[in-house]
């Protein structure tokens, strides 16, 4: 394959204009909605998955924290659909862009911290200094805990970017190896093709798991501040 290894991660353009915004908005069109009293099986399955996910994430939250339910379920739905659409051939995955993941992580993290400062100011500030810290270590530990607090959104974004990007690169390399071996050694092609099929199944699982992990960590940050 003569295509550049990192070509799938370049932002696509239409008539010279970046097409990232339409691509980001497109997954929302794939989520089915219903205005009828009796839903079909697709809508019923979707509602069951939403209720199951909310139950897993929101059981530990207080009443204040549960006001974020719509935000969190929208977040996990968006990331999951975006990751799955990115597995299609010749498609673009916005979650491979660190800038976009930071644009999701930073406001959500800042919202949880602001909520904590507004509702539990004393407890939120107390997280910066572990209980029982010796007096000479207090300034150093406050600096370390403050740095670790500000690293949280960066870790969120980098984790999602690295996992999705690594999977795409691995699929690209094995796909190129399959195409090359098909012209060199025909008996080896089914083996590589089987590995590629198994890797695709793994990437589907990773796409869903990373969406859940990203949202779960935001939920945990919210739990610590409500």
């Amino acid at each position: 394959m003569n295509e550049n290894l990192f070509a799938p991660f370049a932002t696509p353009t239409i008539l010279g204009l970046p097409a990232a915004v339409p691509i980001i908005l497109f997954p929302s069109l794939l989520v089915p909605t219903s205005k009828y009293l009796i839903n079909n099986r697709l809508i019923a399955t979707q509602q069951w998955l939403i209720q199951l996910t909310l139950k897993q994430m929101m059981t530990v939250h207080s009443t204040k924290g549960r006001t974020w339910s719509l935000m969190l379920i929208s977040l996990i739905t968006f990331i999951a659909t975006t990751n799955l659409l990115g597995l299609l051939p010749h498609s673009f995955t916005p979650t491979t862009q660190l800038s976009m993941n930071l644009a999701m992580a930073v406001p959500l993290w800042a919202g949880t911290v602001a909520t904590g400062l507004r509702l539990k100011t004393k407890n939120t500030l107390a997280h910066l200094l572990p209980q029982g810290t010796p007096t000479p270590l207090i300034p150093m530990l406050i600096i370390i805990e403050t740095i670790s607090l500000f690293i949280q959104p960066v870790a969120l974004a980098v984790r999602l970017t690295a996992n999705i990007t690594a999977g795409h690169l691995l699929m690209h390399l094995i796909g190129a190896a399959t195409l090359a071996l098909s012209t060199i050694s025909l008996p080896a092609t089914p083996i590589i093709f089987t590995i590629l099929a198994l890797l695709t199944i793994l990437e589907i699982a990773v796409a869903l798991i990373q969406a859940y992990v990203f949202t779960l960590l935001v939920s945990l940050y919210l739990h610590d501040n409500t």
Side-chain angles (χ1 to χ4, degrees), residues 42-55:
L42 180 60
I43 300 293
T45 303
Q46 174 187 302
Q47 292 178 349
W48 175 76
L49 288 174
I50 290 175
Q51 292 174 1
L52 181 64
T53 305
L54 281 177
K55 183 179 179 181

Side-chain angles (χ1 to χ4, degrees), residues 147-205:
I147 293 174
S148 67
L149 178 65
F150 281 96
I151 285 177
Q152 286 178 352
V154 180
L156 267 179
V158 170
R159 181 186 295 107
L160 180 59
T161 304
N163 281 282
I164 300 302
T165 303
H168 282 48
L169 286 174
L170 191 57
M171 291 181 65
H172 186 96
L173 291 172
I174 294 182
T178 304
L179 186 62
L181 284 175
S182 63
T183 59
I184 300 174
S185 177
L186 195 59
T189 304
I191 300 175
I192 303 297
F193 184 79
T194 303
I195 295 175
L196 183 60
L198 294 175
L199 181 62
T200 303
I201 297 174
L202 177 63
E203 280 305 302
I204 293 174

